[in-house]
């Protein structure tokens, strides 16, 4: 009986260990050529609280450090307008100069985001970057960048109320990691293939 109870205790602790592992990475804010913000679903064109957190974190960094551009990445996944365009309007309303905003509007998943932002950065001769997202998302982003040999740094806000709101997405990341693998295979020759995602009607531009 003691062994069974001990085993159940270990099994019950695994989700907690996983949750802490996801959110406890060492993510440091820093200067770079580009500050890159990944999009999140904008139902009915509205900014989700998780996306607002990413943008507010980026605004704080923008005001504290020196960046040449802020890159906004996200296509029209569940909205008529692209996530990048919706994010641009938000940042402009907060005082960011529109001339220093670059849009990547093809992406439909995180692999697309990272591949396309890398291509866009090269177009604008930007060598270093700091990616901004929610903390549940950062480990998968870093995994993708490493698999594709893309140098990048990552940062996200880790305030306790926000992390509590991310509990469901934290466990959905297990499935997201699995779904990422075939996209990584497709991205193996991304430099030759060019932009990934919906390239029919959107643009990657400044």
């Amino acid at each position: 009986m003691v062994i069974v109870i001990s085993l159940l205790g270990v099994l019950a602790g695994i989700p907690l260990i996983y949750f802490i592992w996801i959110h406890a990475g060492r993510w440091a804010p820093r200067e770079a050529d580009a500050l890159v913000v990944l999009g999140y679903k904008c139902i009915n064109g509205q900014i989700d609280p998780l996306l607002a957190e990413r943008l507010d974190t980026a605004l704080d960094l923008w005001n504290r450090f020196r960046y040449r551009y802020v890159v906004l990445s996200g296509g029209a996944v569940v909205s008529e307008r692209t996530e990048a365009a919706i994010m641009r309007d938000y940042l402009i309303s907060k005082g960011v100069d529109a001339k220093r905003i670059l849009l990547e509007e093809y992406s439909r998943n995180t692999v697309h985001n990272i591949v396309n932002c890398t291509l866009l950065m090269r177009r604008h001769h930007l060598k270093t970057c700091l990616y901004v997202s929610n903390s549940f998302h950062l480990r998968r982003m870093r995994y993708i960048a490493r698999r594709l040999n893309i140098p990048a740094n990552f940062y996200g806000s880790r305030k306790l109320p926000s992390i509590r709101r991310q509990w469901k997405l934290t466990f959905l990341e297990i499935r997201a990691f699995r779904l990422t693998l075939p996209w990584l295979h497709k991205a193996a020759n991304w430099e030759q293939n060019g932009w990934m995602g919906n390239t029919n009607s959107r643009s990657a531009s400044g």
Side-chain angles (χ1 to χ4, degrees), residues 131-157:
Y131 277 87
V132 174
S133 190
N134 308 105
S135 59
F136 78 88
H137 195 201
L138 296 177
R139 285 196 181 272
R140 182 158 56 95
M141 291 167 60
R142 184 171 65 179
Y143 172 75
I144 292 167
R146 287 180 173 177
R147 281 286 304 272
L148 297 177
N149 295 314
I150 295 173
N153 294 297
F154 305 88
Y155 183 72
S157 173

Side-chain angles (χ1 to χ4, degrees), residues 6-185:
S6 299
L7 181 59
L8 290 175
V10 170
L11 293 176
I14 290 174
L16 178 61
I17 293 170
Y18 166 76
F19 191 93
I20 293 172
W21 174 76
I22 282 286
H23 292 281
R26 299 180 64 181
W27 318 111
R30 65 188 70 200
E31 291 185 352
D33 291 336
L35 182 63
V36 185
V37 187
L38 268 59
Y40 188 77
K41 60 184 179 181
C42 296
I43 298 173
N44 297 322
Q46 300 299 308
I47 292 179
D48 186 273
L50 287 172
L51 182 54
E53 178 185 286
R54 299 180 188 186
L55 292 168
D56 290 340
T57 299
L59 281 167
D60 177 64
L61 293 169
W62 185 258
N63 292 324
R64 290 169 53 199
F65 298 94
R66 291 187 298 175
Y67 305 96
R68 290 173 57 191
Y69 291 98
V70 56
V71 178
L72 306 176
S73 176
V77 179
V78 297
S79 54
E80 291 187 7
R81 298 181 68 211
T82 65
E83 294 166 6
I86 293 169
M87 290 191 289
R88 175 187 58 194
D89 292 349
Y90 183 90
L91 292 185
I92 291 174
S93 74
K94 300 293 184 179
V96 178
D97 185 352
K99 294 179 180 179
R100 297 179 66 187
I101 297 175
L102 304 177
L103 301 185
E104 184 288 298
E105 300 183 273
Y106 297 146
S107 299
R108 299 184 66 83
N109 61 47
T110 305
V111 174
H112 294 173
N113 289 135
I114 292 175
V115 167
N116 291 349
C117 285
T118 302
L119 293 172
L120 183 59
M121 285 176 56
R122 289 185 178 182
R123 176 184 289 184
H124 290 271
H125 309 290
L126 305 171
K127 297 183 181 299
T128 60
C129 65
L130 179 67
Y131 277 87
V132 174
S133 190
N134 308 105
S135 59
F136 78 88
H137 195 201
L138 296 177
R139 285 196 181 272
R140 182 158 56 95
M141 291 167 60
R142 184 171 65 179
Y143 172 75
I144 292 167
R146 287 180 173 177
R147 281 286 304 272
L148 297 177
N149 295 314
I150 295 173
N153 294 297
F154 305 88
Y155 183 72
S157 173
R158 286 185 288 193
K159 297 178 181 178
L160 186 57
S162 174
I163 290 177
R164 287 173 178 167
R165 290 196 299 268
Q166 297 175 42
W167 71 269
K168 184 177 181 179
L169 289 168
T170 299
F171 290 100
L172 286 175
E173 278 295 285
I174 298 171
R175 177 174 179 268
F177 264 99
R178 180 175 58 81
L179 294 177
T180 289
L181 297 178
W183 284 109
L184 283 171
H185 178 73

